[in-house]
Amino acid sequence: MIALFLSAFVTLFVVIDPPGCAPIYASLTNGASAAQRRAMAIRAVGIATAILLVFALWGKQLLGVLGIALDSFRIAGGIMLFMIAMDMVFEKRTQRREDRANKLSTEEPHVEDVSVFPMAMPMIAGPGSIATVMLLMSRANGVAERGVVLGAVMLTLVLMLGALIAAGPLMALLGRKIEAVITRLLGVLLAALAAQFVIDGIKASF
């Protein structure tokens, strides 16, 4: 159970990436008061939690309705995670997030509430995190293991909430260079986990 929890937590932490979302949130909420930032952070994490829980609990049934085999989803999800990992290693993911933040700040300077878009979706509960949650739940056997995976989801989202609330001080503490190093290391780890997803899917298919 401990190994399952650690594996699920590390995977979700890398994909959802609280340290990477924190600087973007800080830039999007520049000029807002501390109370406004806190309220938007709570709302964003709450909405993302609801989305991820829906896909975690009923994602398998959704695949069944669409006629998609679970092993196929494992392989596709692993490939998606590998692409995210490559972006993280070469810092393309960070650049896209910064470009999105700059675009929003220039095109919609008067919009204050960023909790639903882009924070809840697609930054927290994006395609990668939804696929990851469904993959982890599909590998869990029994109620106990599913509860462990859900616990890892909740812990990751709690850390995300803490990172968003402390976004300003956190960026001042880490700095750009340290953040880049952490992102690359997490990307390498995610690439290995993504490869394991693909291997598991191929093995199960044959």
Side-chain angles (χ1 to χ4, degrees):
M1 289 297 180
I2 295 176
L4 174 63
F5 178 82
L6 290 176
S7 175
F9 171 71
V10 169
T11 305
L12 289 165
F13 187 86
V14 169
V15 174
I16 297 177
D17 191 16
C21 288
I24 304 303
Y25 181 72
S27 64
L28 287 173
T29 56
N30 186 28
S33 66
Q36 288 174 324
R37 288 183 177 181
R38 185 166 54 251
M40 283 189 285
I42 293 172
R43 190 157 49 247
V45 174
I47 294 171
T49 300
I51 294 170
L52 291 178
L53 286 179
V54 167
F55 279 96
L57 297 174
W58 296 289
K60 188 175 181 179
Q61 289 82 346
L62 177 62
L63 291 181
V65 172
L66 297 176
I68 301 173
L70 192 57
D71 295 326
S72 299
F73 192 81
R74 283 195 182 102
I75 297 172
I79 294 172
M80 288 176 61
L81 294 181
F82 190 82
M83 293 172 65
I84 294 173
M86 290 299 97
D87 286 349
M88 292 174 67
V89 171
F90 296 105
E91 288 196 323
K92 293 181 181 179
R93 192 183 189 202
T94 302
Q95 184 62 46
R96 281 203 302 269
R97 281 176 169 172
E98 290 177 350
D99 291 343
R100 186 183 299 144
N102 291 332
K103 184 178 180 181
L104 286 173
S105 62
T106 54
E107 290 186 357
E108 301 178 13
H110 300 296
V111 175
E112 294 183 359
D113 192 352
V114 296
S115 58
V116 178
F117 177 83
M119 291 311 304
M121 288 190 70
M123 287 193 176
I124 302 176
S129 56
I130 290 173
T132 303
V133 168
M134 291 180 64
L135 284 168
L136 291 171
M137 290 294 285
S138 70
R139 297 174 70 186
N141 298 317
V143 177
E145 290 191 359
R146 290 168 66 87
V148 168
V149 173
L150 290 176
V153 173
M154 297 309 297
L155 177 58
T156 305
L157 291 172
V158 167
L159 292 177
M160 171 63 79
L161 179 59
L164 295 184
I165 292 176
L170 187 64
M171 276 305 296
L173 179 65
L174 289 178
R176 291 276 182 177
K177 292 183 179 179
I178 296 178
E179 181 197 349
V181 171
I182 294 174
T183 299
R184 282 191 168 96
L185 289 174
L186 292 175
V188 173
L189 182 60
L190 179 60
L193 292 169
Q196 189 62 53
F197 278 141
V198 175
I199 291 170
D200 291 344
I202 293 174
K203 281 184 177 179
S205 297
F206 296 98

